[in-house]
Amino acid sequence: RKMGRIVKEAPEALSQVAKELATDADNFTLYVNKSMHPKTKGTMLAALHLIDYMFFENEGDANCDLVNKRCKFKCCDLYCFGC
């Protein structure tokens, strides 16, 4: 059963294109069924933010320090709920 969909919005202006090229900022829209219960909509919105944080806000995922000849790679994040 389809509950909703997430759509990446295309940049409309040159400034938005430059922003997407220079940063990791993107614009997404969450579409849900109008008949959906408000708590379910809230849960989907919270899940959208969690997914964005876990997979796309990954600053430091690949850092190379040329002076000290070291590279650091982040493979994943681990989150525990209810701890």
Side-chain angles (χ1 to χ4, degrees):
R1 187 173 110 190
K2 190 174 182 179
M3 296 180 70
R5 64 188 167 126
I6 301 168
V7 176
K8 182 188 178 304
E9 300 298 333
E12 297 176 1
L14 185 58
S15 62
Q16 292 174 337
V17 172
K19 181 180 175 183
E20 284 196 9
L21 290 173
T23 68
D24 65 350
D26 292 311
N27 291 320
F28 292 89
T29 302
L30 174 64
Y31 293 97
V32 295
N33 298 332
K34 291 182 180 183
S35 62
M36 187 180 293
H37 192 274
K39 286 186 180 182
T40 306
K41 289 180 187 178
T43 302
M44 286 185 65
L45 185 60
L48 174 65
H49 284 280
L50 179 62
I51 290 167
D52 177 57
Y53 178 76
M54 289 177 65
F55 297 105
F56 301 107
E57 299 298 327
N58 54 358
E59 290 186 18
D61 61 348
N63 290 317
C64 287
D65 183 358
L66 300 177
V67 174
N68 296 318
K69 298 180 182 176
R70 293 183 185 175
C71 288
K72 181 175 88 173
F73 299 96
K74 180 172 114 179
C75 297
C76 65
D77 290 319
L78 177 65
Y79 297 92
C80 297
F81 293 97
C83 296

Coordinates of all heavy atoms in Angstrom, one line a residue:
R1 N 0.8 -1.2 0.0 CA 0.0 0.0 0.0 C 0.9 1.2 0.0 O 1.8 1.4 0.8 CB -0.9 0.0 1.2 CG -1.9 1.0 1.3 CD -2.8 0.8 2.4 NE -2.5 1.9 3.4 CZ -3.0 1.9 4.6 NH1 -3.7 1.0 5.0 NH2 -2.7 2.9 5.4
K2 N 0.6 2.1 -0.9 CA 1.4 3.3 -1.0 C 1.0 4.4 0.0 O -0.2 4.8 0.0 CB 1.3 3.9 -2.5 CG 2.2 5.0 -2.8 CD 2.1 5.3 -4.3 CE 3.0 6.3 -4.7 NZ 2.9 6.6 -6.2
M3 N 1.9 4.8 0.8 CA 1.5 5.8 1.8 C 1.9 7.2 1.4 O 1.3 8.2 1.8 CB 2.2 5.5 3.1 CG 1.8 4.2 3.7 SD 2.6 3.8 5.3 CE 1.9 5.0 6.3
G4 N 2.9 7.4 0.6 CA 3.4 8.7 0.1 C 4.6 8.5 -0.7 O 5.0 7.4 -1.0
R5 N 5.2 9.6 -1.1 CA 6.4 9.6 -1.9 C 7.3 10.8 -1.6 O 6.8 11.9 -1.2 CB 6.1 9.4 -3.3 CG 5.4 10.6 -3.9 CD 5.0 10.3 -5.4 NE 4.1 11.4 -5.7 CZ 4.2 12.2 -6.8 NH1 5.1 11.9 -7.6 NH2 3.3 13.1 -7.0
I6 N 8.6 10.6 -1.7 CA 9.5 11.7 -1.6 C 10.1 12.1 -2.9 O 10.5 11.2 -3.6 CB 10.7 11.3 -0.6 CG1 10.1 10.9 0.8 CG2 11.7 12.4 -0.5 CD1 11.1 10.2 1.6
V7 N 10.0 13.4 -3.3 CA 10.5 13.8 -4.6 C 11.6 14.9 -4.4 O 11.4 15.8 -3.6 CB 9.3 14.4 -5.4 CG1 9.8 15.0 -6.7 CG2 8.2 13.4 -5.6
K8 N 12.7 14.7 -5.1 CA 13.8 15.7 -5.1 C 13.4 16.7 -6.1 O 13.2 16.5 -7.2 CB 15.1 15.1 -5.4 CG 16.2 16.1 -5.4 CD 17.5 15.6 -5.9 CE 18.6 16.6 -5.9 NZ 18.3 17.9 -6.6
E9 N 13.3 18.0 -5.6 CA 12.9 19.1 -6.4 C 14.0 19.6 -7.3 O 15.1 19.7 -6.8 CB 12.3 20.2 -5.6 CG 11.1 19.8 -4.8 CD 9.9 19.4 -5.6 OE1 9.8 19.8 -6.8 OE2 9.1 18.6 -5.1
A10 N 13.8 19.8 -8.5 CA 14.8 20.3 -9.4 C 15.1 21.8 -9.1 O 14.1 22.5 -8.9 CB 14.4 20.1 -10.9
P11 N 16.3 22.3 -9.2 CA 16.5 23.7 -9.0 C 15.9 24.5 -10.1 O 15.9 24.1 -11.3 CB 18.1 23.8 -9.0 CG 18.6 22.6 -9.7 CD 17.5 21.5 -9.5
E12 N 15.3 25.7 -9.7 CA 14.6 26.5 -10.7 C 15.4 27.7 -11.1 O 15.2 28.2 -12.2 CB 13.3 26.9 -10.1 CG 12.3 25.8 -9.8 CD 11.0 26.2 -9.2 OE1 10.8 27.4 -9.0 OE2 10.2 25.3 -8.9
A13 N 16.3 28.1 -10.3 CA 17.1 29.3 -10.6 C 18.6 29.0 -10.6 O 19.0 28.0 -10.1 CB 16.8 30.4 -9.6
L14 N 19.4 29.9 -11.3 CA 20.8 29.7 -11.4 C 21.4 29.7 -10.0 O 22.3 28.9 -9.7 CB 21.4 30.7 -12.2 CG 22.9 30.6 -12.5 CD1 23.2 29.2 -13.2 CD2 23.4 31.7 -13.4
S15 N 20.9 30.5 -9.1 CA 21.4 30.5 -7.7 C 21.2 29.2 -7.0 O 22.0 28.7 -6.2 CB 20.8 31.6 -6.9 OG 19.4 31.4 -6.8
Q16 N 20.1 28.5 -7.2 CA 19.8 27.2 -6.6 C 20.7 26.1 -7.2 O 21.2 25.2 -6.5 CB 18.3 26.8 -6.9 CG 17.4 27.7 -6.1 CD 15.9 27.3 -6.4 OE1 15.6 26.8 -7.5 NE2 15.0 27.7 -5.5
V17 N 21.0 26.2 -8.5 CA 22.0 25.3 -9.1 C 23.3 25.5 -8.5 O 24.0 24.5 -8.1 CB 22.0 25.5 -10.7 CG1 23.2 24.7 -11.3 CG2 20.7 25.2 -11.3
A18 N 23.8 26.7 -8.3 CA 25.1 27.0 -7.7 C 25.1 26.5 -6.3 O 26.1 25.9 -5.8 CB 25.4 28.5 -7.8
K19 N 24.0 26.6 -5.5 CA 23.9 26.2 -4.2 C 24.1 24.7 -4.1 O 24.8 24.1 -3.3 CB 22.6 26.6 -3.5 CG 22.4 26.2 -2.1 CD 21.1 26.7 -1.6 CE 20.8 26.2 -0.2 NZ 19.5 26.6 0.3
E20 N 23.4 23.9 -5.0 CA 23.5 22.5 -5.0 C 24.9 22.0 -5.4 O 25.4 21.0 -4.9 CB 22.5 21.9 -6.0 CG 21.1 21.9 -5.4 CD 20.1 21.0 -6.1 OE1 20.6 20.2 -7.0 OE2 18.9 21.0 -5.8
L21 N 25.6 22.8 -6.3 CA 26.9 22.4 -6.7 C 27.9 22.6 -5.6 O 28.9 21.9 -5.4 CB 27.3 23.1 -8.0 CG 26.6 22.7 -9.2 CD1 27.0 23.6 -10.4 CD2 26.9 21.2 -9.6
A22 N 27.8 23.7 -4.9 CA 28.8 24.1 -3.9 C 28.5 23.5 -2.5 O 29.4 23.5 -1.7 CB 28.8 25.6 -3.8
T23 N 27.3 23.1 -2.2 CA 27.0 22.5 -0.9 C 26.3 21.2 -1.0 O 26.1 20.7 -2.1 CB 26.1 23.5 -0.1 OG1 24.8 23.5 -0.7 CG2 26.6 24.9 0.0
D24 N 26.0 20.6 0.1 CA 25.2 19.3 0.1 C 23.7 19.6 0.3 O 23.0 18.7 0.7 CB 25.8 18.3 1.1 CG 25.6 18.8 2.5 OD1 25.3 19.9 2.8 OD2 25.9 17.9 3.4
A25 N 23.3 20.8 0.1 CA 21.9 21.2 0.3 C 21.0 20.7 -0.9 O 21.4 20.9 -2.1 CB 21.7 22.7 0.5
D26 N 19.9 20.1 -0.7 CA 19.0 19.7 -1.7 C 17.6 20.0 -1.1 O 17.4 20.1 0.1 CB 19.1 18.2 -2.0 CG 20.3 17.8 -2.7 OD1 20.7 18.4 -3.6 OD2 21.0 16.8 -2.2
N27 N 16.6 20.1 -2.1 CA 15.2 20.3 -1.7 C 14.4 19.1 -2.0 O 14.4 18.6 -3.1 CB 14.7 21.6 -2.4 CG 15.3 22.8 -1.9 OD1 15.6 23.0 -0.7 ND2 15.6 23.7 -2.8
F28 N 13.6 18.6 -1.0 CA 12.7 17.5 -1.2 C 11.3 17.9 -0.8 O 11.1 18.7 0.1 CB 13.2 16.3 -0.4 CG 14.5 15.7 -0.8 CD1 15.7 16.2 -0.3 CD2 14.5 14.7 -1.7 CE1 16.9 15.7 -0.7 CE2 15.7 14.1 -2.2 CZ 16.9 14.6 -1.7
T29 N 10.3 17.2 -1.4 CA 8.9 17.4 -1.0 C 8.4 16.0 -0.7 O 8.6 15.1 -1.4 CB 8.1 18.0 -2.2 OG1 8.7 19.3 -2.5 CG2 6.7 18.2 -1.8
L30 N 7.6 16.0 0.4 CA 7.0 14.8 0.9 C 5.5 14.9 0.5 O 4.8 15.8 1.0 CB 7.1 14.6 2.4 CG 6.4 13.5 3.1 CD1 6.9 12.1 2.6 CD2 6.5 13.5 4.6
Y31 N 5.0 14.0 -0.3 CA 3.6 13.9 -0.7 C 3.0 12.8 0.0 O 3.5 11.6 0.0 CB 3.5 13.7 -2.2 CG 4.0 14.9 -3.0 CD1 5.3 14.9 -3.6 CD2 3.2 16.0 -3.3 CE1 5.7 15.9 -4.3 CE2 3.6 17.0 -4.0 CZ 4.9 17.0 -4.5 OH 5.3 18.1 -5.3
V32 N 1.8 13.0 0.7 CA 1.1 12.0 1.4 C -0.4 12.1 1.0 O -0.9 13.1 0.5 CB 1.2 12.2 2.9 CG1 2.6 11.9 3.4 CG2 0.7 13.5 3.4
N33 N -1.1 11.0 1.3 CA -2.5 10.9 1.0 C -3.2 11.8 1.9 O -2.9 11.9 3.1 CB -3.0 9.5 1.2 CG -2.4 8.5 0.2 OD1 -2.0 8.9 -0.9 ND2 -2.3 7.3 0.6
K34 N -4.2 12.6 1.4 CA -5.0 13.5 2.3 C -5.8 12.8 3.4 O -6.1 13.4 4.4 CB -5.9 14.4 1.4 CG -5.2 15.3 0.5 CD -6.1 16.2 -0.3 CE -5.3 17.1 -1.1 NZ -6.2 18.0 -1.9
S35 N -6.1 11.6 3.1 CA -7.0 10.8 4.1 C -6.1 10.2 5.2 O -6.7 9.6 6.1 CB -7.8 9.7 3.3 OG -6.9 8.8 2.7
M36 N -4.8 10.3 5.1 CA -3.9 9.7 6.1 C -4.1 10.4 7.5 O -4.3 11.6 7.6 CB -2.5 9.8 5.6 CG -1.5 9.0 6.5 SD 0.2 9.2 5.9 CE 0.0 8.3 4.4
H37 N -4.0 9.5 8.5 CA -4.2 10.0 9.9 C -3.0 11.0 10.2 O -1.9 10.7 9.8 CB -4.1 8.8 10.9 CG -4.5 9.2 12.2 ND1 -3.6 9.7 13.1 CD2 -5.7 9.2 12.9 CE1 -4.2 9.9 14.3 NE2 -5.5 9.6 14.1
P38 N -3.3 12.1 10.9 CA -2.2 13.1 11.2 C -1.0 12.5 11.9 O 0.1 12.9 11.7 CB -2.9 14.1 12.1 CG -4.4 14.0 11.7 CD -4.6 12.6 11.4
K39 N -1.2 11.5 12.8 CA -0.1 10.9 13.5 C 0.8 10.1 12.5 O 2.0 10.1 12.7 CB -0.5 10.0 14.6 CG -1.1 10.7 15.8 CD -1.4 9.8 17.0 CE -1.9 10.6 18.2 NZ -2.1 9.7 19.3
T40 N 0.2 9.5 11.6 CA 1.0 8.8 10.5 C 1.8 9.8 9.7 O 2.9 9.5 9.4 CB 0.1 7.9 9.7 OG1 -0.7 7.1 10.5 CG2 0.9 7.1 8.7
K41 N 1.2 10.9 9.4 CA 1.9 11.9 8.6 C 3.1 12.4 9.4 O 4.1 12.6 8.9 CB 0.9 13.1 8.3 CG -0.1 12.8 7.3 CD -1.0 14.0 7.0 CE -2.2 13.7 6.1 NZ -3.0 14.9 5.9
G42 N 2.9 12.7 10.7 CA 4.0 13.1 11.5 C 5.1 12.1 11.6 O 6.3 12.5 11.6
T43 N 4.7 10.8 11.7 CA 5.7 9.8 11.8 C 6.5 9.7 10.5 O 7.7 9.6 10.5 CB 5.0 8.4 12.0 OG1 4.3 8.5 13.2 CG2 6.1 7.3 12.1
M44 N 5.8 9.9 9.3 CA 6.5 9.9 8.0 C 7.5 11.1 7.9 O 8.6 11.0 7.4 CB 5.5 9.9 6.9 CG 4.9 8.6 6.7 SD 3.8 8.5 5.3 CE 5.0 8.8 3.9
L45 N 7.1 12.3 8.4 CA 7.9 13.4 8.4 C 9.1 13.3 9.3 O 10.2 13.6 8.9 CB 7.1 14.7 8.8 CG 7.8 16.0 8.7 CD1 8.2 16.3 7.3 CD2 6.9 17.1 9.3
A46 N 8.9 12.7 10.5 CA 10.1 12.4 11.3 C 11.0 11.4 10.7 O 12.2 11.6 10.8 CB 9.5 11.8 12.7
A47 N 10.5 10.4 10.0 CA 11.3 9.4 9.4 C 12.1 10.1 8.2 O 13.3 9.7 8.0 CB 10.5 8.2 8.8
L48 N 11.5 11.0 7.5 CA 12.2 11.7 6.4 C 13.4 12.5 7.0 O 14.5 12.4 6.4 CB 11.2 12.6 5.8 CG 11.8 13.6 4.7 CD1 12.3 12.8 3.5 CD2 10.7 14.6 4.3
H49 N 13.2 13.1 8.1 CA 14.3 13.9 8.7 C 15.4 12.9 9.2 O 16.6 13.2 9.1 CB 13.8 14.8 9.9 CG 13.1 16.0 9.4 ND1 13.8 17.1 8.9 CD2 11.8 16.3 9.2 CE1 12.9 18.0 8.5 NE2 11.7 17.5 8.7
L50 N 15.0 11.8 9.8 CA 16.0 10.9 10.3 C 16.8 10.3 9.1 O 18.0 10.2 9.2 CB 15.3 9.7 11.1 CG 16.3 8.7 11.6 CD1 17.3 9.3 12.6 CD2 15.5 7.6 12.3
I51 N 16.1 9.9 8.1 CA 16.8 9.4 6.9 C 17.8 10.4 6.3 O 18.9 10.1 6.0 CB 15.8 8.9 5.8 CG1 15.1 7.7 6.3 CG2 16.5 8.6 4.5 CD1 13.9 7.3 5.5
D52 N 17.3 11.7 6.2 CA 18.2 12.7 5.7 C 19.4 12.9 6.6 O 20.5 13.0 6.1 CB 17.4 14.0 5.7 CG 18.3 15.2 5.2 OD1 18.9 15.1 4.1 OD2 18.4 16.2 6.0
Y53 N 19.2 12.9 7.9 CA 20.4 13.0 8.8 C 21.3 11.8 8.7 O 22.5 12.0 8.7 CB 19.9 13.2 10.2 CG 21.0 13.3 11.2 CD1 21.7 14.5 11.4 CD2 21.4 12.2 12.0 CE1 22.8 14.6 12.2 CE2 22.4 12.3 12.9 CZ 23.1 13.5 13.0 OH 24.2 13.6 13.9
M54 N 20.8 10.6 8.7 CA 21.6 9.4 8.7 C 22.4 9.2 7.5 O 23.6 8.8 7.5 CB 20.8 8.2 9.0 CG 20.3 8.1 10.4 SD 19.2 6.7 10.7 CE 20.4 5.3 10.4
F55 N 21.9 9.6 6.3 CA 22.5 9.2 5.1 C 23.0 10.4 4.2 O 23.9 10.2 3.4 CB 21.5 8.4 4.2 CG 21.2 7.1 4.8 CD1 19.9 6.9 5.4 CD2 22.1 6.1 4.9 CE1 19.6 5.7 6.0 CE2 21.8 4.8 5.4 CZ 20.5 4.7 6.0
F56 N 22.5 11.6 4.5 CA 22.9 12.7 3.7 C 23.7 13.8 4.4 O 24.3 14.6 3.8 CB 21.7 13.3 2.9 CG 21.1 12.2 2.0 CD1 19.9 11.7 2.4 CD2 21.7 11.8 0.9 CE1 19.3 10.7 1.6 CE2 21.1 10.8 0.1 CZ 19.9 10.3 0.4
E57 N 23.5 13.9 5.7 CA 24.3 14.9 6.5 C 25.5 14.2 7.0 O 25.8 14.1 8.2 CB 23.4 15.4 7.6 CG 22.1 16.1 7.2 CD 22.4 17.3 6.3 OE1 23.4 18.0 6.6 OE2 21.6 17.6 5.4
N58 N 26.4 13.8 6.1 CA 27.5 13.0 6.5 C 28.8 13.8 6.4 O 29.7 13.3 5.7 CB 27.6 11.7 5.6 CG 27.5 12.0 4.2 OD1 27.4 13.2 3.8 ND2 27.6 11.0 3.3
E59 N 28.9 14.9 7.0 CA 30.1 15.7 6.9 C 31.2 14.8 7.6 O 31.0 14.2 8.6 CB 30.0 17.0 7.7 CG 29.1 18.0 7.0 CD 29.0 19.3 7.7 OE1 29.9 19.6 8.5 OE2 28.1 20.0 7.4
G60 N 32.3 14.8 6.9 CA 33.4 14.1 7.4 C 33.5 12.6 6.9 O 34.2 11.8 7.5
D61 N 32.7 12.3 5.9 CA 32.6 10.9 5.5 C 33.9 10.5 4.8 O 34.3 9.3 4.8 CB 31.4 10.6 4.6 CG 31.4 11.5 3.3 OD1 32.2 12.4 3.2 OD2 30.6 11.2 2.4
A62 N 34.7 11.4 4.2 CA 36.0 11.1 3.6 C 36.8 12.4 3.8 O 36.7 13.4 3.1 CB 35.8 10.8 2.2
N63 N 37.8 12.3 4.7 CA 38.7 13.4 5.0 C 40.1 12.9 4.8 O 40.5 11.9 5.4 CB 38.5 13.9 6.4 CG 37.2 14.6 6.6 OD1 36.8 15.4 5.8 ND2 36.6 14.4 7.7
C64 N 40.9 13.6 3.9 CA 42.3 13.3 3.8 C 43.1 14.5 4.2 O 42.9 15.6 3.7 CB 42.6 12.9 2.3 SG 41.9 11.3 1.8
D65 N 44.0 14.2 5.1 CA 45.0 15.2 5.6 C 46.3 15.0 4.9 O 47.0 14.1 5.2 CB 45.1 15.1 7.1 CG 46.0 16.1 7.7 OD1 46.6 16.9 7.0 OD2 46.2 16.1 9.0
L66 N 46.6 15.8 3.9 CA 47.8 15.7 3.1 C 49.1 16.0 3.8 O 50.1 15.4 3.6 CB 47.7 16.5 1.8 CG 46.5 16.2 0.9 CD1 46.5 17.2 -0.3 CD2 46.6 14.8 0.4
V67 N 49.0 16.9 4.8 CA 50.2 17.2 5.6 C 50.6 16.0 6.4 O 51.8 15.7 6.4 CB 49.9 18.4 6.5 CG1 51.0 18.7 7.4 CG2 49.5 19.7 5.6
N68 N 49.7 15.4 7.1 CA 50.0 14.3 8.0 C 49.9 12.9 7.3 O 50.1 11.9 7.9 CB 49.2 14.3 9.3 CG 49.4 15.5 10.1 OD1 50.6 15.9 10.3 ND2 48.4 16.1 10.6
K69 N 49.6 12.9 6.0 CA 49.4 11.7 5.2 C 48.5 10.7 5.9 O 48.8 9.5 6.1 CB 50.8 11.1 5.0 CG 51.7 12.0 4.2 CD 53.0 11.3 4.0 CE 53.9 12.3 3.2 NZ 55.3 11.7 3.0
R70 N 47.3 11.2 6.3 CA 46.2 10.3 6.9 C 44.9 10.6 6.2 O 44.6 11.7 5.8 CB 46.0 10.7 8.3 CG 47.2 10.4 9.2 CD 46.9 10.7 10.6 NE 48.0 10.5 11.5 CZ 48.1 10.8 12.7 NH1 47.0 11.2 13.3 NH2 49.2 10.6 13.4
C71 N 44.2 9.5 6.0 CA 42.8 9.6 5.5 C 41.9 8.9 6.4 O 42.2 7.9 7.0 CB 42.7 8.9 4.1 SG 43.5 9.9 2.8
K72 N 40.7 9.5 6.6 CA 39.7 8.9 7.5 C 38.4 8.8 6.7 O 38.0 9.7 6.0 CB 39.4 9.8 8.7 CG 38.4 9.3 9.7 CD 38.4 10.2 10.9 CE 37.4 11.3 10.6 NZ 37.1 12.2 11.7
F73 N 37.8 7.6 6.7 CA 36.5 7.3 6.0 C 35.5 6.9 7.0 O 35.7 6.0 7.9 CB 36.7 6.2 5.0 CG 37.7 6.6 3.9 CD1 39.1 6.2 4.0 CD2 37.3 7.3 2.9 CE1 40.0 6.5 3.1 CE2 38.3 7.7 1.9 CZ 39.6 7.3 2.0
K74 N 34.3 7.5 6.9 CA 33.2 7.1 7.8 C 32.3 6.1 7.0 O 31.8 6.5 5.9 CB 32.4 8.3 8.2 CG 31.2 8.0 9.1 CD 30.6 9.3 9.6 CE 29.3 9.5 9.0 NZ 28.6 10.8 9.5
C75 N 32.1 4.9 7.5 CA 31.3 3.9 6.8 C 29.8 4.0 7.1 O 29.0 3.8 6.3 CB 31.9 2.5 7.1 SG 33.5 2.3 6.6
C76 N 29.5 4.2 8.4 CA 28.1 4.2 8.8 C 27.9 4.9 10.1 O 28.9 5.1 10.9 CB 27.5 2.8 8.8 SG 28.3 1.8 10.0
D77 N 26.7 5.2 10.5 CA 26.3 5.6 11.8 C 25.5 4.5 12.4 O 24.8 3.8 11.7 CB 25.5 6.9 11.7 CG 26.3 8.1 11.3 OD1 27.4 8.2 11.8 OD2 25.8 8.9 10.5
L78 N 25.6 4.4 13.7 CA 24.8 3.5 14.5 C 23.9 4.2 15.5 O 24.4 5.0 16.3 CB 25.7 2.5 15.2 CG 25.0 1.4 16.0 CD1 24.2 0.5 15.2 CD2 26.0 0.6 16.8
Y79 N 22.6 4.0 15.4 CA 21.7 4.6 16.3 C 20.9 3.6 17.1 O 20.4 2.6 16.5 CB 20.7 5.5 15.5 CG 21.4 6.6 14.8 CD1 21.8 6.5 13.5 CD2 21.6 7.8 15.4 CE1 22.4 7.5 12.8 CE2 22.3 8.8 14.8 CZ 22.7 8.7 13.5 OH 23.3 9.7 12.8
C80 N 20.7 3.8 18.4 CA 20.0 2.9 19.2 C 18.8 3.6 19.8 O 18.9 4.7 20.4 CB 20.8 2.3 20.4 SG 22.2 1.3 19.8
F81 N 17.6 3.1 19.6 CA 16.4 3.7 20.1 C 16.0 3.1 21.4 O 16.1 1.9 21.6 CB 15.2 3.6 19.1 CG 15.5 4.3 17.8 CD1 16.0 3.7 16.7 CD2 15.2 5.7 17.8 CE1 16.2 4.4 15.5 CE2 15.4 6.4 16.6 CZ 15.9 5.8 15.5
G82 N 15.6 3.9 22.3 CA 15.1 3.4 23.6 C 16.2 3.2 24.6 O 16.0 2.6 25.7
C83 N 17.4 3.6 24.3 CA 18.5 3.4 25.3 C 18.6 4.6 26.2 O 18.3 5.7 26.0 CB 19.9 3.4 24.5 SG 19.9 1.9 23.4

